[in-house]
Amino acid sequence: MTNQSSSGTEQWPSVPLEAWSDTCATLHLWTQIVGKIRLTQSPWVNHSWNATLYVTARGLTTSPVPHGARVFEIEFDFIAHRLSVRTSEGETGGFALRPESVAGFYARLMDEMGRLNLPVTIQRKPNEVTEAIPFDRDDRPRSYDPVFVNRYWRALAQVDRVFKQFRARFIGKCSPVHYFWGAPDLAVTRFSGRPAPQHPGGIPNLPDWVTREAYSHEVSSCGFWSGGGPVPYPAFYSYAYPEPQGFADAAIQPAEAFFSTDLREFVLPYDAVWQSPDPDGMLLDFLQTTYDAAADLAHWDRGSLERDRDPRDAL
């Protein structure tokens, strides 16, 4: 597979973190506000799956969210650079995405929700960040670079597509491919079906019970994030909880991947993937071999959890 579409647009765009780090931080907090609206309005689903966003053909969406007997949806459109709110009665609202403070974005969104008769109250303190300033009080100027936001979304769209191919190979309990706004990362998680030891918690500004519920059962999880901390560039990751003995030393593919002792997970730089002549194949190799290592070393019942053929061949 090449890295060029018929229109000449890069299918796997370069998104170096240093080129858009300020905008990345802005988008992180804006998605938390939208994600918390879905979280507040939706019944709790195990592992916080009721709170996530999903990749669309234009950006990120909440998917349908209940408000009493009504339904609404909020979507980030990273082509038109607009936030849209749509209701089941056909009403629409929204506003242009532009450089502005978190408090300004929060106020504009809550005004739109009120105008559409969709009042909602959320916990205004962000999660999984060290400096948790309430959204309505974070009035510092913020950046919004539409070029790099669009590139980031186009990367997410490609990753979402390949992750769904990988997810389809598994018939045990498995998460959707979804966007966790806490980190933020696009992730998919497989479960062995067995309970896991209690997670120690300790994630900044996230209640330990949330983390412990998320890791209540054994998992092999993979994802993509824009980078930060010990990995200051966009990258794919794969980890197991609990981490089986020998996992860090497992032989995985491709050669560009490595085990991060800081993160306790395998890491594959995004640049290695988009620069590859076969990005899909390289990423699938990483996802499969790291899962193989987790499942084999932890003695998962792989025969009952995995699909051995594509059912579409018989239809």
Side-chain angles (χ1 to χ4, degrees):
M1 179 178 178
T2 66
N3 189 29
Q4 200 78 5
S5 72
S6 59
S7 65
T9 303
E10 283 182 304
Q11 292 176 325
W12 292 82
S14 173
V15 276
L17 180 59
E18 66 273 13
W20 75 299
S21 59
D22 290 344
T23 292
C24 184
T26 302
L27 190 62
H28 183 194
L29 293 172
W30 290 359
T31 59
Q32 289 216 9
I33 294 168
V34 172
K36 280 175 177 273
I37 291 175
R38 184 184 182 215
L39 170 66
T40 298
Q41 294 296 124
S42 303
W44 184 267
V45 179
N46 53 190
H47 320 299
S48 306
W49 293 353
N50 61 303
T52 57
L53 305 179
Y54 305 96
V55 176
T56 74
R58 298 186 69 92
L60 291 168
T61 183
T62 57
S63 75
V65 178
H67 196 285
R70 302 172 70 201
V71 176
F72 69 91
E73 180 179 15
I74 303 175
E75 182 180 28
F76 286 95
D77 183 334
F78 296 139
I79 295 176
H81 299 285
R82 183 172 178 81
L83 188 84
S84 297
V85 185
R86 297 183 288 269
T87 77
S88 50
E89 291 86 2
E91 299 170 305
T92 61
F95 47 84
L97 299 174
R98 66 191 187 197
E100 71 175 327
S101 69
V102 172
F105 177 91
Y106 173 84
R108 284 207 291 164
L109 178 52
M110 290 304 172
D111 285 348
E112 284 297 283
M113 299 297 287
R115 187 180 66 79
L116 295 169
N117 196 26
L118 295 167
V120 60
T121 301
I122 65 172
Q123 290 286 345
R124 296 188 297 275
K125 186 177 179 181
N127 299 119
E128 300 186 49
V129 295
T130 54
E131 189 180 12
I133 301 171
F135 302 128
D136 58 337
R137 289 163 40 193
D138 188 348
D139 56 5
R140 294 171 294 179
R142 295 279 181 168
S143 300
Y144 183 82
D145 183 332
V147 172
F148 272 96
V149 169
N150 178 268
R151 293 177 75 87
Y152 175 60
W153 159 71
R154 287 193 285 117
L156 288 175
Q158 294 300 319
V159 176
D160 181 75
R161 178 180 58 79
V162 177
F163 277 14
K164 285 174 178 172
Q165 294 180 46
F166 176 67
R167 182 184 186 273
R169 301 173 179 177
F170 197 75
I171 59 174
K173 177 179 175 179
C174 187
S175 77
V177 179
H178 47 191
Y179 188 86
F180 280 104
W181 39 264
D185 56 344
L186 187 70
V188 60
T189 304
R190 295 175 169 186
F191 293 77
S192 73
R194 300 188 302 232
Q198 186 179 77
H199 195 282
I203 297 176
N205 289 296
L206 187 70
D208 285 345
W209 73 263
V210 176
T211 307
R212 288 169 180 157
E213 196 269 351
Y215 292 102
S216 60
H217 290 71
E218 287 184 343
V219 301
S220 172
S221 189
C222 56
F224 168 74
W225 91 109
S226 54
V231 182
Y233 47 80
F236 300 95
Y237 64 79
S238 181
Y239 65 87
Y241 182 80
E243 182 184 314
Q245 185 174 2
F247 184 63
D249 299 318
I252 65 158
Q253 297 177 15
E256 292 85 349
F258 63 92
F259 188 82
S260 168
T261 55
D262 293 305
L263 300 174
R264 302 306 304 176
E265 55 195 36
F266 285 104
V267 173
L268 173 62
Y270 172 77
D271 285 359
V273 173
W274 77 261
Q275 293 173 357
S276 166
D278 182 13
D280 290 25
M282 175 180 279
L283 179 52
L284 285 168
D285 283 347
F286 175 73
L287 302 176
Q288 187 64 49
T289 58
T290 54
Y291 162 73
D292 289 344
D296 288 343
L297 291 169
H299 307 293
W300 287 26
D301 181 10
R302 297 186 62 179
S304 69
L305 295 171
E306 299 171 24
R307 191 188 306 281
D308 60 1
R309 65 185 181 88
D310 190 334
R312 295 175 299 177
D313 295 340
L315 298 176

